[in-house]
PDB file of all heavy atoms in Angstrom:
ATOM      1  N   CYS A   1     123.488 125.933 206.975  1.00 91.00           N
ATOM      2  CA  CYS A   1     124.110 125.452 208.205  1.00 91.00           C
ATOM      3  C   CYS A   1     124.383 126.587 209.173  1.00 91.00           C
ATOM      4  O   CYS A   1     124.619 127.729 208.775  1.00 91.00           O
ATOM      5  CB  CYS A   1     125.428 124.743 207.893  1.00 91.00           C
ATOM      6  SG  CYS A   1     125.224 123.105 207.180  1.00 91.00           S
ATOM      7  N   ARG A   2     124.384 126.237 210.449  1.00 94.00           N
ATOM      8  CA  ARG A   2     124.704 127.168 211.514  1.00 94.00           C
ATOM      9  C   ARG A   2     125.832 126.549 212.342  1.00 94.00           C
ATOM     10  O   ARG A   2     125.693 125.420 212.835  1.00 94.00           O
ATOM     11  CB  ARG A   2     123.480 127.423 212.372  1.00 94.00           C
ATOM     12  CG  ARG A   2     123.730 128.230 213.648  1.00 94.00           C
ATOM     13  CD  ARG A   2     122.408 128.509 214.345  1.00 94.00           C
ATOM     14  NE  ARG A   2     121.645 127.282 214.551  1.00 94.00           N
ATOM     15  CZ  ARG A   2     120.310 127.231 214.557  1.00 94.00           C
ATOM     16  NH1 ARG A   2     119.598 128.312 214.335  1.00 94.00           N
ATOM     17  NH2 ARG A   2     119.682 126.073 214.774  1.00 94.00           N
ATOM     18  N   LEU A   3     126.942 127.255 212.474  1.00 96.00           N
ATOM     19  CA  LEU A   3     128.060 126.748 213.255  1.00 96.00           C
ATOM     20  C   LEU A   3     127.771 126.933 214.739  1.00 96.00           C
ATOM     21  O   LEU A   3     127.321 127.997 215.174  1.00 96.00           O
ATOM     22  CB  LEU A   3     129.348 127.482 212.891  1.00 96.00           C
ATOM     23  CG  LEU A   3     129.801 127.395 211.432  1.00 96.00           C
ATOM     24  CD1 LEU A   3     131.140 128.091 211.261  1.00 96.00           C
ATOM     25  CD2 LEU A   3     129.874 125.954 210.966  1.00 96.00           C
ATOM     26  N   VAL A   4     128.004 125.872 215.509  1.00 96.00           N
ATOM     27  CA  VAL A   4     127.754 125.940 216.949  1.00 96.00           C
ATOM     28  C   VAL A   4     128.986 125.447 217.702  1.00 96.00           C
ATOM     29  O   VAL A   4     129.586 124.427 217.359  1.00 96.00           O
ATOM     30  CB  VAL A   4     126.519 125.109 217.357  1.00 96.00           C
ATOM     31  CG1 VAL A   4     125.253 125.720 216.808  1.00 96.00           C
ATOM     32  CG2 VAL A   4     126.638 123.670 216.905  1.00 96.00           C
ATOM     33  N   ALA A   5     129.374 126.200 218.701  1.00 97.00           N
ATOM     34  CA  ALA A   5     130.469 125.802 219.579  1.00 97.00           C
ATOM     35  C   ALA A   5     129.877 125.095 220.796  1.00 97.00           C
ATOM     36  O   ALA A   5     128.951 125.611 221.427  1.00 97.00           O
ATOM     37  CB  ALA A   5     131.276 127.023 220.007  1.00 97.00           C
ATOM     38  N   VAL A   6     130.382 123.930 221.099  1.00 96.00           N
ATOM     39  CA  VAL A   6     129.813 123.104 222.162  1.00 96.00           C
ATOM     40  C   VAL A   6     130.910 122.702 223.137  1.00 96.00           C
ATOM     41  O   VAL A   6     132.004 122.284 222.725  1.00 96.00           O
ATOM     42  CB  VAL A   6     129.151 121.841 221.570  1.00 96.00           C
ATOM     43  CG1 VAL A   6     128.605 120.955 222.679  1.00 96.00           C
ATOM     44  CG2 VAL A   6     128.039 122.215 220.598  1.00 96.00           C
ATOM     45  N   ASP A   7     130.615 122.802 224.417  1.00 97.00           N
ATOM     46  CA  ASP A   7     131.523 122.328 225.450  1.00 97.00           C
ATOM     47  C   ASP A   7     131.071 120.936 225.878  1.00 97.00           C
ATOM     48  O   ASP A   7     130.030 120.781 226.526  1.00 97.00           O
ATOM     49  CB  ASP A   7     131.512 123.289 226.637  1.00 97.00           C
ATOM     50  CG  ASP A   7     132.466 122.851 227.761  1.00 97.00           C
ATOM     51  OD1 ASP A   7     133.143 121.819 227.594  1.00 97.00           O
ATOM     52  OD2 ASP A   7     132.516 123.542 228.799  1.00 97.00           O
ATOM     53  N   GLY A   8     131.829 119.939 225.524  1.00 96.00           N
ATOM     54  CA  GLY A   8     131.455 118.562 225.846  1.00 96.00           C
ATOM     55  C   GLY A   8     132.168 118.009 227.057  1.00 96.00           C
ATOM     56  O   GLY A   8     132.063 116.809 227.342  1.00 96.00           O
ATOM     57  N   SER A   9     132.872 118.851 227.797  1.00 97.00           N
ATOM     58  CA  SER A   9     133.716 118.358 228.892  1.00 97.00           C
ATOM     59  C   SER A   9     132.917 117.639 229.980  1.00 97.00           C
ATOM     60  O   SER A   9     133.373 116.632 230.534  1.00 97.00           O
ATOM     61  CB  SER A   9     134.511 119.520 229.503  1.00 97.00           C
ATOM     62  OG  SER A   9     133.644 120.543 229.974  1.00 97.00           O
ATOM     63  N   ALA A  10     131.718 118.128 230.276  1.00 97.00           N
ATOM     64  CA  ALA A  10     130.918 117.492 231.329  1.00 97.00           C
ATOM     65  C   ALA A  10     130.515 116.079 230.927  1.00 97.00           C
ATOM     66  O   ALA A  10     130.556 115.150 231.749  1.00 97.00           O
ATOM     67  CB  ALA A  10     129.684 118.336 231.626  1.00 97.00           C
ATOM     68  N   TYR A  11     130.136 115.901 229.670  1.00 97.00           N
ATOM     69  CA  TYR A  11     129.754 114.565 229.185  1.00 97.00           C
ATOM     70  C   TYR A  11     130.972 113.661 229.080  1.00 97.00           C
ATOM     71  O   TYR A  11     130.896 112.464 229.372  1.00 97.00           O
ATOM     72  CB  TYR A  11     129.054 114.674 227.828  1.00 97.00           C
ATOM     73  CG  TYR A  11     127.628 115.169 227.919  1.00 97.00           C
ATOM     74  CD1 TYR A  11     127.353 116.523 228.019  1.00 97.00           C
ATOM     75  CD2 TYR A  11     126.560 114.277 227.924  1.00 97.00           C
ATOM     76  CE1 TYR A  11     126.044 116.988 228.112  1.00 97.00           C
ATOM     77  CE2 TYR A  11     125.250 114.719 228.021  1.00 97.00           C
ATOM     78  CZ  TYR A  11     125.005 116.084 228.121  1.00 97.00           C
ATOM     79  OH  TYR A  11     123.716 116.536 228.214  1.00 97.00           O
ATOM     80  N   ALA A  12     132.108 114.231 228.663  1.00 97.00           N
ATOM     81  CA  ALA A  12     133.336 113.442 228.575  1.00 97.00           C
ATOM     82  C   ALA A  12     133.722 112.908 229.951  1.00 97.00           C
ATOM     83  O   ALA A  12     134.112 111.740 230.104  1.00 97.00           O
ATOM     84  CB  ALA A  12     134.458 114.297 228.001  1.00 97.00           C
ATOM     85  N   SER A  13     133.588 113.753 230.972  1.00 97.00           N
ATOM     86  CA  SER A  13     133.947 113.361 232.330  1.00 97.00           C
ATOM     87  C   SER A  13     132.946 112.374 232.928  1.00 97.00           C
ATOM     88  O   SER A  13     133.328 111.366 233.523  1.00 97.00           O
ATOM     89  CB  SER A  13     134.034 114.611 233.210  1.00 97.00           C
ATOM     90  OG  SER A  13     134.261 114.261 234.549  1.00 97.00           O
ATOM     91  N   ALA A  14     131.659 112.647 232.746  1.00 97.00           N
ATOM     92  CA  ALA A  14     130.627 111.821 233.382  1.00 97.00           C
ATOM     93  C   ALA A  14     130.493 110.442 232.743  1.00 97.00           C
ATOM     94  O   ALA A  14     130.208 109.457 233.436  1.00 97.00           O
ATOM     95  CB  ALA A  14     129.288 112.553 233.346  1.00 97.00           C
ATOM     96  N   TYR A  15     130.704 110.365 231.432  1.00 96.00           N
ATOM     97  CA  TYR A  15     130.417 109.111 230.724  1.00 96.00           C
ATOM     98  C   TYR A  15     131.622 108.534 229.993  1.00 96.00           C
ATOM     99  O   TYR A  15     131.486 107.544 229.270  1.00 96.00           O
ATOM    100  CB  TYR A  15     129.272 109.336 229.723  1.00 96.00           C
ATOM    101  CG  TYR A  15     128.029 109.879 230.390  1.00 96.00           C
ATOM    102  CD1 TYR A  15     127.667 111.217 230.252  1.00 96.00           C
ATOM    103  CD2 TYR A  15     127.241 109.074 231.199  1.00 96.00           C
ATOM    104  CE1 TYR A  15     126.539 111.737 230.875  1.00 96.00           C
ATOM    105  CE2 TYR A  15     126.112 109.570 231.828  1.00 96.00           C
ATOM    106  CZ  TYR A  15     125.768 110.902 231.662  1.00 96.00           C
ATOM    107  OH  TYR A  15     124.652 111.405 232.303  1.00 96.00           O
ATOM    108  N   GLY A  16     132.801 109.144 230.201  1.00 95.00           N
ATOM    109  CA  GLY A  16     134.002 108.604 229.587  1.00 95.00           C
ATOM    110  C   GLY A  16     134.002 108.657 228.079  1.00 95.00           C
ATOM    111  O   GLY A  16     134.478 107.732 227.409  1.00 95.00           O
ATOM    112  N   LEU A  17     133.467 109.725 227.524  1.00 96.00           N
ATOM    113  CA  LEU A  17     133.340 109.855 226.083  1.00 96.00           C
ATOM    114  C   LEU A  17     134.502 110.633 225.489  1.00 96.00           C
ATOM    115  O   LEU A  17     135.080 111.515 226.127  1.00 96.00           O
ATOM    116  CB  LEU A  17     132.032 110.567 225.725  1.00 96.00           C
ATOM    117  CG  LEU A  17     130.730 109.866 226.110  1.00 96.00           C
ATOM    118  CD1 LEU A  17     129.547 110.771 225.785  1.00 96.00           C
ATOM    119  CD2 LEU A  17     130.594 108.540 225.376  1.00 96.00           C
ATOM    120  N   GLY A  18     134.824 110.325 224.241  1.00 95.00           N
ATOM    121  CA  GLY A  18     135.808 111.090 223.497  1.00 95.00           C
ATOM    122  C   GLY A  18     135.226 112.417 223.046  1.00 95.00           C
ATOM    123  O   GLY A  18     134.029 112.685 223.226  1.00 95.00           O
ATOM    124  N   PRO A  19     136.041 113.266 222.411  1.00 96.00           N
ATOM    125  CA  PRO A  19     135.598 114.634 222.089  1.00 96.00           C
ATOM    126  C   PRO A  19     134.426 114.701 221.118  1.00 96.00           C
ATOM    127  O   PRO A  19     133.547 115.553 221.285  1.00 96.00           O
ATOM    128  CB  PRO A  19     136.856 115.278 221.488  1.00 96.00           C
ATOM    129  CG  PRO A  19     137.703 114.132 221.033  1.00 96.00           C
ATOM    130  CD  PRO A  19     137.444 113.035 222.009  1.00 96.00           C
ATOM    131  N   LEU A  20     134.377 113.849 220.110  1.00 96.00           N
ATOM    132  CA  LEU A  20     133.271 113.908 219.147  1.00 96.00           C
ATOM    133  C   LEU A  20     131.960 113.494 219.806  1.00 96.00           C
ATOM    134  O   LEU A  20     130.946 114.186 219.698  1.00 96.00           O
ATOM    135  CB  LEU A  20     133.562 113.013 217.942  1.00 96.00           C
ATOM    136  CG  LEU A  20     134.797 113.357 217.116  1.00 96.00           C
ATOM    137  CD1 LEU A  20     134.959 112.343 215.983  1.00 96.00           C
ATOM    138  CD2 LEU A  20     134.701 114.764 216.548  1.00 96.00           C
ATOM    139  N   ALA A  21     131.975 112.355 220.473  1.00 96.00           N
ATOM    140  CA  ALA A  21     130.763 111.850 221.122  1.00 96.00           C
ATOM    141  C   ALA A  21     130.295 112.800 222.226  1.00 96.00           C
ATOM    142  O   ALA A  21     129.091 113.047 222.384  1.00 96.00           O
ATOM    143  CB  ALA A  21     131.010 110.457 221.688  1.00 96.00           C
ATOM    144  N   ALA A  22     131.243 113.345 223.002  1.00 97.00           N
ATOM    145  CA  ALA A  22     130.880 114.233 224.110  1.00 97.00           C
ATOM    146  C   ALA A  22     130.216 115.506 223.590  1.00 97.00           C
ATOM    147  O   ALA A  22     129.196 115.952 224.138  1.00 97.00           O
ATOM    148  CB  ALA A  22     132.116 114.576 224.923  1.00 97.00           C
ATOM    149  N   LYS A  23     130.778 116.101 222.540  1.00 96.00           N
ATOM    150  CA  LYS A  23     130.182 117.316 221.993  1.00 96.00           C
ATOM    151  C   LYS A  23     128.820 117.036 221.363  1.00 96.00           C
ATOM    152  O   LYS A  23     127.898 117.844 221.474  1.00 96.00           O
ATOM    153  CB  LYS A  23     131.123 117.940 220.955  1.00 96.00           C
ATOM    154  CG  LYS A  23     132.336 118.595 221.570  1.00 96.00           C
ATOM    155  CD  LYS A  23     133.150 119.362 220.533  1.00 96.00           C
ATOM    156  CE  LYS A  23     134.303 120.103 221.201  1.00 96.00           C
ATOM    157  NZ  LYS A  23     135.061 120.923 220.230  1.00 96.00           N
ATOM    158  N   LEU A  24     128.701 115.895 220.732  1.00 96.00           N
ATOM    159  CA  LEU A  24     127.428 115.538 220.112  1.00 96.00           C
ATOM    160  C   LEU A  24     126.328 115.380 221.165  1.00 96.00           C
ATOM    161  O   LEU A  24     125.216 115.907 221.001  1.00 96.00           O
ATOM    162  CB  LEU A  24     127.594 114.244 219.319  1.00 96.00           C
ATOM    163  CG  LEU A  24     126.379 113.693 218.589  1.00 96.00           C
ATOM    164  CD1 LEU A  24     125.782 114.725 217.654  1.00 96.00           C
ATOM    165  CD2 LEU A  24     126.755 112.435 217.814  1.00 96.00           C
ATOM    166  N   CYS A  25     126.624 114.695 222.241  1.00 96.00           N
ATOM    167  CA  CYS A  25     125.627 114.503 223.301  1.00 96.00           C
ATOM    168  C   CYS A  25     125.316 115.813 224.013  1.00 96.00           C
ATOM    169  O   CYS A  25     124.158 116.082 224.363  1.00 96.00           O
ATOM    170  CB  CYS A  25     126.113 113.462 224.295  1.00 96.00           C
ATOM    171  SG  CYS A  25     126.249 111.791 223.608  1.00 96.00           S
ATOM    172  N   ALA A  26     126.340 116.636 224.216  1.00 96.00           N
ATOM    173  CA  ALA A  26     126.118 117.932 224.861  1.00 96.00           C
ATOM    174  C   ALA A  26     125.247 118.821 223.994  1.00 96.00           C
ATOM    175  O   ALA A  26     124.353 119.511 224.494  1.00 96.00           O
ATOM    176  CB  ALA A  26     127.466 118.609 225.129  1.00 96.00           C
ATOM    177  N   HIS A  27     125.488 118.793 222.677  1.00 96.00           N
ATOM    178  CA  HIS A  27     124.674 119.606 221.765  1.00 96.00           C
ATOM    179  C   HIS A  27     123.219 119.178 221.802  1.00 96.00           C
ATOM    180  O   HIS A  27     122.308 120.005 221.721  1.00 96.00           O
ATOM    181  CB  HIS A  27     125.225 119.496 220.348  1.00 96.00           C
ATOM    182  CG  HIS A  27     124.397 120.203 219.321  1.00 96.00           C
ATOM    183  ND1 HIS A  27     123.578 119.542 218.439  1.00 96.00           N
ATOM    184  CD2 HIS A  27     124.238 121.529 219.061  1.00 96.00           C
ATOM    185  CE1 HIS A  27     122.963 120.431 217.679  1.00 96.00           C
ATOM    186  NE2 HIS A  27     123.350 121.628 218.027  1.00 96.00           N
ATOM    187  N   SER A  28     122.982 117.879 221.931  1.00 94.00           N
ATOM    188  CA  SER A  28     121.608 117.356 221.965  1.00 94.00           C
ATOM    189  C   SER A  28     120.983 117.473 223.342  1.00 94.00           C
ATOM    190  O   SER A  28     119.803 117.155 223.506  1.00 94.00           O
ATOM    191  CB  SER A  28     121.589 115.889 221.508  1.00 94.00           C
ATOM    192  OG  SER A  28     122.080 115.764 220.192  1.00 94.00           O
ATOM    193  N   GLN A  29     121.781 117.893 224.332  1.00 95.00           N
ATOM    194  CA  GLN A  29     121.296 118.092 225.710  1.00 95.00           C
ATOM    195  C   GLN A  29     120.603 116.844 226.254  1.00 95.00           C
ATOM    196  O   GLN A  29     119.511 116.901 226.816  1.00 95.00           O
ATOM    197  CB  GLN A  29     120.369 119.301 225.783  1.00 95.00           C
ATOM    198  CG  GLN A  29     121.041 120.612 225.392  1.00 95.00           C
ATOM    199  CD  GLN A  29     120.128 121.819 225.499  1.00 95.00           C
ATOM    200  OE1 GLN A  29     118.925 121.718 225.286  1.00 95.00           O
ATOM    201  NE2 GLN A  29     120.687 122.966 225.837  1.00 95.00           N
ATOM    202  N   LEU A  30     121.245 115.713 226.048  1.00 96.00           N
ATOM    203  CA  LEU A  30     120.678 114.451 226.521  1.00 96.00           C
ATOM    204  C   LEU A  30     120.783 114.362 228.043  1.00 96.00           C
ATOM    205  O   LEU A  30     121.791 114.771 228.633  1.00 96.00           O
ATOM    206  CB  LEU A  30     121.416 113.279 225.881  1.00 96.00           C
ATOM    207  CG  LEU A  30     121.406 113.233 224.347  1.00 96.00           C
ATOM    208  CD1 LEU A  30     122.139 111.996 223.852  1.00 96.00           C
ATOM    209  CD2 LEU A  30     119.983 113.256 223.810  1.00 96.00           C
ATOM    210  N   ASP A  31     119.735 113.840 228.653  1.00 96.00           N
ATOM    211  CA  ASP A  31     119.762 113.715 230.108  1.00 96.00           C
ATOM    212  C   ASP A  31     120.409 112.393 230.514  1.00 96.00           C
ATOM    213  O   ASP A  31     120.780 111.562 229.674  1.00 96.00           O
ATOM    214  CB  ASP A  31     118.363 113.862 230.699  1.00 96.00           C
ATOM    215  CG  ASP A  31     117.384 112.810 230.197  1.00 96.00           C
ATOM    216  OD1 ASP A  31     117.809 111.687 229.857  1.00 96.00           O
ATOM    217  OD2 ASP A  31     116.167 113.110 230.143  1.00 96.00           O
ATOM    218  N   ASP A  32     120.535 112.181 231.806  1.00 96.00           N
ATOM    219  CA  ASP A  32     121.247 111.009 232.313  1.00 96.00           C
ATOM    220  C   ASP A  32     120.564 109.707 231.894  1.00 96.00           C
ATOM    221  O   ASP A  32     121.234 108.730 231.530  1.00 96.00           O
ATOM    222  CB  ASP A  32     121.356 111.085 233.832  1.00 96.00           C
ATOM    223  CG  ASP A  32     122.194 109.951 234.402  1.00 96.00           C
ATOM    224  OD1 ASP A  32     123.392 109.870 234.073  1.00 96.00           O
ATOM    225  OD2 ASP A  32     121.646 109.131 235.175  1.00 96.00           O
ATOM    226  N   ALA A  33     119.236 109.693 231.912  1.00 95.00           N
ATOM    227  CA  ALA A  33     118.507 108.483 231.518  1.00 95.00           C
ATOM    228  C   ALA A  33     118.756 108.163 230.047  1.00 95.00           C
ATOM    229  O   ALA A  33     118.946 106.988 229.677  1.00 95.00           O
ATOM    230  CB  ALA A  33     117.016 108.662 231.780  1.00 95.00           C
ATOM    231  N   GLN A  34     118.756 109.190 229.217  1.00 95.00           N
ATOM    232  CA  GLN A  34     119.022 108.973 227.794  1.00 95.00           C
ATOM    233  C   GLN A  34     120.452 108.491 227.570  1.00 95.00           C
ATOM    234  O   GLN A  34     120.694 107.616 226.742  1.00 95.00           O
ATOM    235  CB  GLN A  34     118.755 110.254 227.012  1.00 95.00           C
ATOM    236  CG  GLN A  34     117.285 110.624 226.914  1.00 95.00           C
ATOM    237  CD  GLN A  34     117.091 111.982 226.284  1.00 95.00           C
ATOM    238  OE1 GLN A  34     117.760 112.951 226.638  1.00 95.00           O
ATOM    239  NE2 GLN A  34     116.157 112.072 225.345  1.00 95.00           N
ATOM    240  N   MET A  35     121.387 109.051 228.301  1.00 96.00           N
ATOM    241  CA  MET A  35     122.780 108.629 228.150  1.00 96.00           C
ATOM    242  C   MET A  35     122.951 107.165 228.560  1.00 96.00           C
ATOM    243  O   MET A  35     123.654 106.397 227.887  1.00 96.00           O
ATOM    244  CB  MET A  35     123.688 109.528 228.989  1.00 96.00           C
ATOM    245  CG  MET A  35     123.817 110.948 228.468  1.00 96.00           C
ATOM    246  SD  MET A  35     124.436 111.028 226.756  1.00 96.00           S
ATOM    247  CE  MET A  35     125.998 110.156 226.912  1.00 96.00           C
ATOM    248  N   LYS A  36     122.322 106.778 229.630  1.00 94.00           N
ATOM    249  CA  LYS A  36     122.423 105.381 230.059  1.00 94.00           C
ATOM    250  C   LYS A  36     121.767 104.457 229.040  1.00 94.00           C
ATOM    251  O   LYS A  36     122.229 103.331 228.815  1.00 94.00           O
ATOM    252  CB  LYS A  36     121.783 105.215 231.436  1.00 94.00           C
ATOM    253  CG  LYS A  36     122.609 105.865 232.545  1.00 94.00           C
ATOM    254  CD  LYS A  36     121.926 105.747 233.906  1.00 94.00           C
ATOM    255  CE  LYS A  36     122.803 106.383 234.987  1.00 94.00           C
ATOM    256  NZ  LYS A  36     122.151 106.351 236.329  1.00 94.00           N
ATOM    257  N   ASP A  37     120.688 104.935 228.421  1.00 94.00           N
ATOM    258  CA  ASP A  37     120.038 104.162 227.372  1.00 94.00           C
ATOM    259  C   ASP A  37     120.964 104.025 226.159  1.00 94.00           C
ATOM    260  O   ASP A  37     121.114 102.941 225.587  1.00 94.00           O
ATOM    261  CB  ASP A  37     118.732 104.853 226.963  1.00 94.00           C
ATOM    262  CG  ASP A  37     117.775 103.924 226.238  1.00 94.00           C
ATOM    263  OD1 ASP A  37     118.070 102.717 226.155  1.00 94.00           O
ATOM    264  OD2 ASP A  37     116.747 104.407 225.747  1.00 94.00           O
ATOM    265  N   LEU A  38     121.604 105.129 225.784  1.00 94.00           N
ATOM    266  CA  LEU A  38     122.502 105.122 224.638  1.00 94.00           C
ATOM    267  C   LEU A  38     123.687 104.186 224.843  1.00 94.00           C
ATOM    268  O   LEU A  38     124.083 103.464 223.922  1.00 94.00           O
ATOM    269  CB  LEU A  38     123.028 106.530 224.370  1.00 94.00           C
ATOM    270  CG  LEU A  38     122.170 107.499 223.569  1.00 94.00           C
ATOM    271  CD1 LEU A  38     122.881 108.836 223.456  1.00 94.00           C
ATOM    272  CD2 LEU A  38     121.871 106.951 222.178  1.00 94.00           C
ATOM    273  N   LEU A  39     124.269 104.238 226.017  1.00 94.00           N
ATOM    274  CA  LEU A  39     125.521 103.530 226.265  1.00 94.00           C
ATOM    275  C   LEU A  39     125.313 102.143 226.856  1.00 94.00           C
ATOM    276  O   LEU A  39     126.283 101.426 227.104  1.00 94.00           O
ATOM    277  CB  LEU A  39     126.399 104.367 227.200  1.00 94.00           C
ATOM    278  CG  LEU A  39     126.795 105.748 226.655  1.00 94.00           C
ATOM    279  CD1 LEU A  39     127.528 106.551 227.718  1.00 94.00           C
ATOM    280  CD2 LEU A  39     127.632 105.615 225.391  1.00 94.00           C
ATOM    281  N   GLY A  40     124.062 101.751 227.072  1.00 89.00           N
ATOM    282  CA  GLY A  40     123.783 100.430 227.620  1.00 89.00           C
ATOM    283  C   GLY A  40     124.045  99.324 226.617  1.00 89.00           C
ATOM    284  O   GLY A  40     124.286  99.570 225.431  1.00 89.00           O
ATOM    285  N   ASP A  41     123.987  98.089 227.090  1.00 84.00           N
ATOM    286  CA  ASP A  41     124.230  96.967 226.184  1.00 84.00           C
ATOM    287  C   ASP A  41     122.961  96.641 225.401  1.00 84.00           C
ATOM    288  O   ASP A  41     121.939  97.323 225.525  1.00 84.00           O
ATOM    289  CB  ASP A  41     124.735  95.742 226.941  1.00 84.00           C
ATOM    290  CG  ASP A  41     123.742  95.235 227.982  1.00 84.00           C
ATOM    291  OD1 ASP A  41     122.519  95.436 227.786  1.00 84.00           O
ATOM    292  OD2 ASP A  41     124.166  94.642 228.978  1.00 84.00           O
ATOM    293  N   ASP A  42     123.039  95.590 224.567  1.00 83.00           N
ATOM    294  CA  ASP A  42     121.889  95.242 223.727  1.00 83.00           C
ATOM    295  C   ASP A  42     121.145  94.030 224.270  1.00 83.00           C
ATOM    296  O   ASP A  42     120.447  93.343 223.523  1.00 83.00           O
ATOM    297  CB  ASP A  42     122.334  94.997 222.284  1.00 83.00           C
ATOM    298  CG  ASP A  42     123.301  93.835 222.151  1.00 83.00           C
ATOM    299  OD1 ASP A  42     123.711  93.277 223.192  1.00 83.00           O
ATOM    300  OD2 ASP A  42     123.663  93.493 221.010  1.00 83.00           O
ATOM    301  N   ALA A  43     121.275  93.770 225.568  1.00 94.00           N
ATOM    302  CA  ALA A  43     120.551  92.641 226.166  1.00 94.00           C
ATOM    303  C   ALA A  43     119.057  92.938 226.173  1.00 94.00           C
ATOM    304  O   ALA A  43     118.611  93.921 226.765  1.00 94.00           O
ATOM    305  CB  ALA A  43     121.051  92.384 227.586  1.00 94.00           C
ATOM    306  N   LEU A  44     118.294  92.082 225.518  1.00 97.00           N
ATOM    307  CA  LEU A  44     116.859  92.298 225.415  1.00 97.00           C
ATOM    308  C   LEU A  44     116.156  92.005 226.735  1.00 97.00           C
ATOM    309  O   LEU A  44     116.596  91.183 227.530  1.00 97.00           O
ATOM    310  CB  LEU A  44     116.265  91.404 224.328  1.00 97.00           C
ATOM    311  CG  LEU A  44     116.792  91.582 222.908  1.00 97.00           C
ATOM    312  CD1 LEU A  44     115.996  90.717 221.950  1.00 97.00           C
ATOM    313  CD2 LEU A  44     116.746  93.021 222.474  1.00 97.00           C
ATOM    314  N   THR A  45     115.049  92.689 226.944  1.00 97.00           N
ATOM    315  CA  THR A  45     114.184  92.403 228.080  1.00 97.00           C
ATOM    316  C   THR A  45     112.856  91.876 227.539  1.00 97.00           C
ATOM    317  O   THR A  45     112.647  91.806 226.325  1.00 97.00           O
ATOM    318  CB  THR A  45     113.959  93.661 228.929  1.00 97.00           C
ATOM    319  OG1 THR A  45     113.290  94.651 228.136  1.00 97.00           O
ATOM    320  CG2 THR A  45     115.280  94.225 229.425  1.00 97.00           C
ATOM    321  N   THR A  46     111.969  91.516 228.432  1.00 98.00           N
ATOM    322  CA  THR A  46     110.693  90.939 228.016  1.00 98.00           C
ATOM    323  C   THR A  46     109.560  91.591 228.789  1.00 98.00           C
ATOM    324  O   THR A  46     109.589  91.627 230.024  1.00 98.00           O
ATOM    325  CB  THR A  46     110.664  89.411 228.261  1.00 98.00           C
ATOM    326  OG1 THR A  46     111.791  88.814 227.612  1.00 98.00           O
ATOM    327  CG2 THR A  46     109.383  88.797 227.706  1.00 98.00           C
TER     328      THR A  46
END
């Protein structure tokens, strides 16, 4: 394992995430489209 310090404040502010979720998304460097995909509902499209 490698310990990593992550600043999740930008994700917490932009997407209303708590500290665990914000740091996780920041570590993965998810972009805005991915974040909207992650946090969207489960309404199916066709």
Side-chain angles (χ1 to χ4, degrees):
C1 285
R2 172 175 52 211
L3 300 184
V4 292
V6 178
D7 181 1
S9 58
Y11 284 82
S13 175
Y15 304 105
L17 297 175
L20 299 178
K23 287 188 175 183
L24 180 55
C25 294
H27 175 255
S28 300
Q29 299 181 328
L30 302 182
D31 60 29
D32 185 62
Q34 290 173 313
M35 290 302 303
K36 289 177 179 177
D37 199 6
L38 277 179
L39 299 174
D41 61 28
D42 62 355
L44 300 186
T45 63
T46 305

